mmCIF file of all heavy atoms in Angstrom:
data_model
loop_
_atom_site.group_PDB
_atom_site.id
_atom_site.type_symbol
_atom_site.label_atom_id
_atom_site.label_comp_id
_atom_site.label_asym_id
_atom_site.label_seq_id
_atom_site.Cartn_x
_atom_site.Cartn_y
_atom_site.Cartn_z
ATOM 1 N N PHE A 240 17.351 6.479 -13.594
ATOM 2 C CA PHE A 240 16.526 5.465 -14.242
ATOM 3 C C PHE A 240 15.984 6.026 -15.545
ATOM 4 O O PHE A 240 15.793 7.238 -15.699
ATOM 5 C CB PHE A 240 15.374 5.019 -13.330
ATOM 6 C CG PHE A 240 14.465 6.128 -12.892
ATOM 7 C CD1 PHE A 240 13.329 6.465 -13.615
ATOM 8 C CD2 PHE A 240 14.761 6.862 -11.750
ATOM 9 C CE1 PHE A 240 12.507 7.501 -13.213
ATOM 10 C CE2 PHE A 240 13.935 7.906 -11.339
ATOM 11 C CZ PHE A 240 12.799 8.212 -12.076
ATOM 12 N N SER A 241 15.744 5.140 -16.488
ATOM 13 C CA SER A 241 15.269 5.549 -17.802
ATOM 14 C C SER A 241 13.750 5.594 -17.814
ATOM 15 O O SER A 241 13.089 4.737 -17.220
ATOM 16 C CB SER A 241 15.772 4.577 -18.868
ATOM 17 O OG SER A 241 15.198 4.878 -20.132
ATOM 18 N N ILE A 242 13.194 6.580 -18.494
ATOM 19 C CA ILE A 242 11.745 6.660 -18.650
ATOM 20 C C ILE A 242 11.346 6.235 -20.060
ATOM 21 O O ILE A 242 10.216 6.460 -20.481
ATOM 22 C CB ILE A 242 11.217 8.071 -18.353
ATOM 23 C CG1 ILE A 242 11.843 9.105 -19.291
ATOM 24 C CG2 ILE A 242 11.478 8.444 -16.906
ATOM 25 C CD1 ILE A 242 11.244 10.493 -19.153
ATOM 26 N N GLU A 243 12.258 5.618 -20.751
ATOM 27 C CA GLU A 243 11.969 5.103 -22.083
ATOM 28 C C GLU A 243 12.310 3.626 -22.109
ATOM 29 O O GLU A 243 13.241 3.162 -21.446
ATOM 30 C CB GLU A 243 12.776 5.843 -23.141
ATOM 31 C CG GLU A 243 12.218 5.716 -24.541
ATOM 32 C CD GLU A 243 12.842 6.737 -25.482
ATOM 33 O OE1 GLU A 243 14.083 6.800 -25.531
ATOM 34 O OE2 GLU A 243 12.095 7.460 -26.153
ATOM 35 N N GLY A 244 11.547 2.847 -22.868
ATOM 36 C CA GLY A 244 11.789 1.415 -22.928
ATOM 37 C C GLY A 244 11.197 0.653 -21.765
ATOM 38 O O GLY A 244 11.479 -0.518 -21.563
ATOM 39 N N GLN A 245 10.346 1.307 -20.931
ATOM 40 C CA GLN A 245 9.708 0.666 -19.789
ATOM 41 C C GLN A 245 8.204 0.595 -19.991
ATOM 42 O O GLN A 245 7.446 0.557 -19.033
ATOM 43 C CB GLN A 245 10.008 1.450 -18.505
ATOM 44 C CG GLN A 245 11.477 1.609 -18.177
ATOM 45 C CD GLN A 245 12.065 0.354 -17.584
ATOM 46 O OE1 GLN A 245 11.346 -0.556 -17.232
ATOM 47 N NE2 GLN A 245 13.385 0.316 -17.485
ATOM 48 N N ALA A 246 7.765 0.591 -21.238
ATOM 49 C CA ALA A 246 6.331 0.694 -21.520
ATOM 50 C C ALA A 246 5.535 -0.378 -20.807
ATOM 51 O O ALA A 246 5.896 -1.557 -20.796
ATOM 52 C CB ALA A 246 6.088 0.610 -23.023
ATOM 53 N N ALA A 247 4.416 0.067 -20.228
ATOM 54 C CA ALA A 247 3.465 -0.827 -19.556
ATOM 55 C C ALA A 247 4.111 -1.623 -18.429
ATOM 56 O O ALA A 247 3.655 -2.686 -18.067
ATOM 57 C CB ALA A 247 2.822 -1.775 -20.557
ATOM 58 N N GLU A 248 5.184 -1.092 -17.843
ATOM 59 C CA GLU A 248 5.824 -1.747 -16.719
ATOM 60 C C GLU A 248 5.984 -0.731 -15.589
ATOM 61 O O GLU A 248 5.865 0.472 -15.782
ATOM 62 C CB GLU A 248 7.206 -2.299 -17.115
ATOM 63 C CG GLU A 248 7.160 -3.390 -18.175
ATOM 64 C CD GLU A 248 8.544 -3.883 -18.524
ATOM 65 O OE1 GLU A 248 9.518 -3.393 -17.909
ATOM 66 O OE2 GLU A 248 8.656 -4.758 -19.408
ATOM 67 N N SER A 249 6.270 -1.255 -14.401
ATOM 68 C CA SER A 249 6.559 -0.363 -13.284
ATOM 69 C C SER A 249 7.872 -0.789 -12.661
ATOM 70 O O SER A 249 8.250 -1.957 -12.705
ATOM 71 C CB SER A 249 5.438 -0.409 -12.247
ATOM 72 O OG SER A 249 5.400 -1.668 -11.607
ATOM 73 N N LEU A 250 8.576 0.177 -12.126
ATOM 74 C CA LEU A 250 9.814 -0.110 -11.418
ATOM 75 C C LEU A 250 9.764 0.601 -10.085
ATOM 76 O O LEU A 250 8.978 1.529 -9.885
ATOM 77 C CB LEU A 250 11.030 0.321 -12.245
ATOM 78 C CG LEU A 250 11.105 1.782 -12.682
ATOM 79 C CD1 LEU A 250 11.949 2.590 -11.694
ATOM 80 C CD2 LEU A 250 11.699 1.899 -14.075
ATOM 81 N N VAL A 251 10.587 0.159 -9.152
ATOM 82 C CA VAL A 251 10.623 0.740 -7.818
ATOM 83 C C VAL A 251 11.959 1.450 -7.641
ATOM 84 O O VAL A 251 13.020 0.843 -7.812
ATOM 85 C CB VAL A 251 10.441 -0.333 -6.733
ATOM 86 C CG1 VAL A 251 10.579 0.285 -5.344
ATOM 87 C CG2 VAL A 251 9.075 -1.000 -6.874
ATOM 88 N N VAL A 252 11.883 2.733 -7.334
ATOM 89 C CA VAL A 252 13.073 3.551 -7.111
ATOM 90 C C VAL A 252 13.236 3.744 -5.604
ATOM 91 O O VAL A 252 12.286 4.142 -4.921
ATOM 92 C CB VAL A 252 12.948 4.907 -7.823
ATOM 93 C CG1 VAL A 252 14.151 5.782 -7.523
ATOM 94 C CG2 VAL A 252 12.813 4.696 -9.329
ATOM 95 N N VAL A 253 14.430 3.437 -5.108
ATOM 96 C CA VAL A 253 14.694 3.495 -3.673
ATOM 97 C C VAL A 253 15.437 4.789 -3.337
ATOM 98 O O VAL A 253 16.455 5.107 -3.955
ATOM 99 C CB VAL A 253 15.520 2.283 -3.208
ATOM 100 C CG1 VAL A 253 15.791 2.354 -1.707
ATOM 101 C CG2 VAL A 253 14.800 0.981 -3.567
ATOM 102 N N LEU A 254 14.898 5.519 -2.348
ATOM 103 C CA LEU A 254 15.536 6.737 -1.851
ATOM 104 C C LEU A 254 16.059 6.470 -0.448
ATOM 105 O O LEU A 254 15.315 5.989 0.423
ATOM 106 C CB LEU A 254 14.541 7.900 -1.821
ATOM 107 C CG LEU A 254 13.836 8.236 -3.145
ATOM 108 C CD1 LEU A 254 12.834 9.353 -2.936
ATOM 109 C CD2 LEU A 254 14.840 8.623 -4.202
ATOM 110 N N LYS A 255 17.326 6.778 -0.213
ATOM 111 C CA LYS A 255 17.948 6.549 1.091
ATOM 112 C C LYS A 255 18.042 7.851 1.864
ATOM 113 O O LYS A 255 18.275 8.916 1.283
ATOM 114 C CB LYS A 255 19.336 5.920 0.920
ATOM 115 C CG LYS A 255 19.311 4.553 0.237
ATOM 116 C CD LYS A 255 20.688 3.947 0.169
ATOM 117 C CE LYS A 255 20.656 2.590 -0.522
ATOM 118 N NZ LYS A 255 19.865 1.617 0.272
ATOM 119 N N ALA A 256 17.858 7.759 3.191
ATOM 120 C CA ALA A 256 17.862 8.942 4.046
ATOM 121 C C ALA A 256 19.211 9.634 3.992
ATOM 122 O O ALA A 256 20.262 8.988 3.954
ATOM 123 C CB ALA A 256 17.524 8.560 5.483
ATOM 124 N N GLY A 257 19.181 10.973 3.976
ATOM 125 C CA GLY A 257 20.411 11.752 3.983
ATOM 126 C C GLY A 257 20.938 11.936 5.392
ATOM 127 O O GLY A 257 20.445 11.345 6.364
ATOM 128 N N SER A 258 21.934 12.787 5.528
ATOM 129 C CA SER A 258 22.576 12.984 6.828
ATOM 130 C C SER A 258 21.739 13.835 7.774
ATOM 131 O O SER A 258 21.890 13.753 8.994
ATOM 132 C CB SER A 258 23.953 13.637 6.630
ATOM 133 O OG SER A 258 23.823 14.854 5.912
ATOM 134 N N GLY A 259 20.826 14.667 7.240
ATOM 135 C CA GLY A 259 20.001 15.509 8.094
ATOM 136 C C GLY A 259 18.829 14.759 8.689
ATOM 137 O O GLY A 259 18.499 13.636 8.285
ATOM 138 N N ASP A 260 18.180 15.361 9.676
ATOM 139 C CA ASP A 260 17.030 14.748 10.340
ATOM 140 C C ASP A 260 15.693 15.292 9.828
ATOM 141 O O ASP A 260 14.650 14.816 10.260
ATOM 142 C CB ASP A 260 17.107 14.963 11.860
ATOM 143 C CG ASP A 260 18.256 14.181 12.487
ATOM 144 O OD1 ASP A 260 18.580 13.102 11.957
ATOM 145 O OD2 ASP A 260 18.799 14.671 13.480
ATOM 146 N N LEU A 261 15.723 16.300 8.934
ATOM 147 C CA LEU A 261 14.486 16.915 8.484
ATOM 148 C C LEU A 261 13.910 16.105 7.321
ATOM 149 O O LEU A 261 13.814 16.570 6.190
ATOM 150 C CB LEU A 261 14.747 18.370 8.067
ATOM 151 C CG LEU A 261 15.241 19.289 9.190
ATOM 152 C CD1 LEU A 261 15.516 20.684 8.656
ATOM 153 C CD2 LEU A 261 14.217 19.346 10.318
ATOM 154 N N ARG A 262 13.532 14.878 7.619
ATOM 155 C CA ARG A 262 12.985 14.014 6.583
ATOM 156 C C ARG A 262 11.464 14.158 6.556
ATOM 157 O O ARG A 262 10.826 14.382 7.582
ATOM 158 C CB ARG A 262 13.367 12.549 6.842
ATOM 159 C CG ARG A 262 14.870 12.328 6.990
ATOM 160 C CD ARG A 262 15.251 10.891 6.706
ATOM 161 N NE ARG A 262 14.684 9.938 7.618
ATOM 162 C CZ ARG A 262 15.348 9.377 8.626
ATOM 163 N NH1 ARG A 262 16.601 9.733 8.859
ATOM 164 N NH2 ARG A 262 14.769 8.480 9.393
ATOM 165 N N CYS A 263 10.903 13.999 5.366
ATOM 166 C CA CYS A 263 9.449 14.119 5.232
ATOM 167 C C CYS A 263 8.737 12.854 5.697
ATOM 168 O O CYS A 263 7.507 12.859 5.853
ATOM 169 C CB CYS A 263 9.075 14.432 3.784
ATOM 170 S SG CYS A 263 9.601 13.181 2.594
ATOM 171 N N LEU A 264 9.480 11.764 5.924
ATOM 172 C CA LEU A 264 8.927 10.504 6.423
ATOM 173 C C LEU A 264 9.878 9.934 7.468
ATOM 174 O O LEU A 264 11.070 10.268 7.473
ATOM 175 C CB LEU A 264 8.752 9.494 5.267
ATOM 176 C CG LEU A 264 7.662 9.790 4.230
ATOM 177 C CD1 LEU A 264 7.810 8.845 3.047
ATOM 178 C CD2 LEU A 264 6.274 9.678 4.831
ATOM 179 N N PRO A 265 9.397 9.046 8.352
ATOM 180 C CA PRO A 265 10.293 8.463 9.350
ATOM 181 C C PRO A 265 11.200 7.374 8.782
ATOM 182 O O PRO A 265 12.134 6.923 9.455
ATOM 183 C CB PRO A 265 9.319 7.876 10.386
ATOM 184 C CG PRO A 265 8.090 7.563 9.600
ATOM 185 C CD PRO A 265 7.991 8.639 8.559
ATOM 186 N N ASN A 266 10.965 6.922 7.553
ATOM 187 C CA ASN A 266 11.681 5.786 6.972
ATOM 188 C C ASN A 266 13.161 6.079 6.767
ATOM 189 O O ASN A 266 13.557 7.197 6.453
ATOM 190 C CB ASN A 266 11.078 5.407 5.614
ATOM 191 C CG ASN A 266 9.597 5.133 5.678
ATOM 192 O OD1 ASN A 266 8.844 5.873 6.294
ATOM 193 N ND2 ASN A 266 9.169 4.067 5.026
ATOM 194 N N ARG A 267 13.961 5.007 6.887
ATOM 195 C CA ARG A 267 15.357 5.085 6.474
ATOM 196 C C ARG A 267 15.470 4.985 4.960
ATOM 197 O O ARG A 267 16.394 5.523 4.358
ATOM 198 C CB ARG A 267 16.165 3.967 7.139
ATOM 199 C CG ARG A 267 16.312 4.115 8.646
ATOM 200 C CD ARG A 267 16.966 2.911 9.265
ATOM 201 N NE ARG A 267 16.190 1.685 9.017
ATOM 202 C CZ ARG A 267 16.477 0.517 9.580
ATOM 203 N NH1 ARG A 267 17.507 0.397 10.394
ATOM 204 N NH2 ARG A 267 15.731 -0.540 9.325
ATOM 205 N N GLU A 268 14.527 4.255 4.359
ATOM 206 C CA GLU A 268 14.448 4.141 2.907
ATOM 207 C C GLU A 268 12.997 4.343 2.475
ATOM 208 O O GLU A 268 12.076 3.926 3.168
ATOM 209 C CB GLU A 268 14.929 2.777 2.418
ATOM 210 C CG GLU A 268 16.409 2.521 2.591
ATOM 211 C CD GLU A 268 16.827 1.180 2.010
ATOM 212 O OE1 GLU A 268 15.944 0.382 1.637
ATOM 213 O OE2 GLU A 268 18.045 0.930 1.930
#
Side-chain angles (χ1 to χ4, degrees):
F240 58 91
S241 174
I242 60 173
E243 200 166 52
Q245 302 282 349
E248 296 180 2
S249 68
L250 57 95
V251 176
V252 177
V253 180
L254 304 177
K255 298 183 180 295
S258 56
D260 292 329
L261 297 178
R262 305 202 297 258
C263 60
L264 290 169
N266 305 45
R267 292 173 300 188
E268 292 183 351

